[in-house]
Amino acid sequence: KQANRYAAEALVKDKEDSSALRAMATIELVEGSLEKGLVNAKKAYELNAEGTYIRDTYLVALYANGKVQEAQKIADEITASGKVLDNDTVKLMNGEVTLQQYYIEE
């Protein structure tokens, strides 16, 4: 709840705060508001795809919403940029962990 409040307050100050949008997307995904999470993850991605964990969060939001082909395009973008997909992201996309496990559990 507190994280949600902080992200919301940041967005009141700056509606284009990509980090706050990413945080809000993460919270929404974990709480089961998958479509809202995707909307905010996409906004963050469009504003600052190179921001910390923004591309990863967009990939996860796409995948969680059943947009597997679009998620794979983002995964390809990540690897094309010379980065490696996070092991937990691979596990999520392989169906080995749930969203809650991905974001909350160690």
Side-chain angles (χ1 to χ4, degrees):
K1 298 275 181 202
Q2 193 170 6
N4 198 349
R5 188 173 44 116
Y6 288 137
E9 286 174 7
L11 289 171
V12 167
K13 292 177 186 170
D14 180 2
K15 288 182 180 6
E16 295 190 349
D17 182 332
S18 59
S19 293
L21 285 163
R22 187 199 74 79
M24 190 65 79
T26 301
I27 293 164
E28 289 163 344
L29 291 169
V30 169
E31 291 180 344
S33 298
L34 302 181
E35 289 179 21
K36 285 183 183 178
L38 178 56
V39 167
N40 282 318
K42 183 176 182 179
K43 282 184 198 172
Y45 175 80
E46 289 171 345
L47 289 166
N48 183 15
E50 299 302 321
T52 306
Y53 295 116
I54 288 177
R55 188 172 273 132
D56 302 73
T57 301
Y58 185 41
L59 182 158
V60 169
L62 285 165
Y63 181 81
N65 279 274
K67 298 179 182 298
V68 177
Q69 287 181 320
E70 292 95 326
Q72 188 57 54
K73 286 180 188 172
I74 301 301
D76 294 344
E77 241 179 62
I78 291 169
T79 56
S81 72
K83 296 178 182 162
V84 177
L85 272 182
D86 182 80
N87 191 38
D88 289 335
T89 303
V90 173
K91 285 182 178 180
L92 178 74
M93 292 181 75
N94 287 338
E96 297 170 32
V97 296
T98 65
L99 270 176
Q100 284 70 22
Q101 290 169 320
Y102 180 81
Y103 280 119
I104 298 169
E105 298 173 13
E106 300 274 330

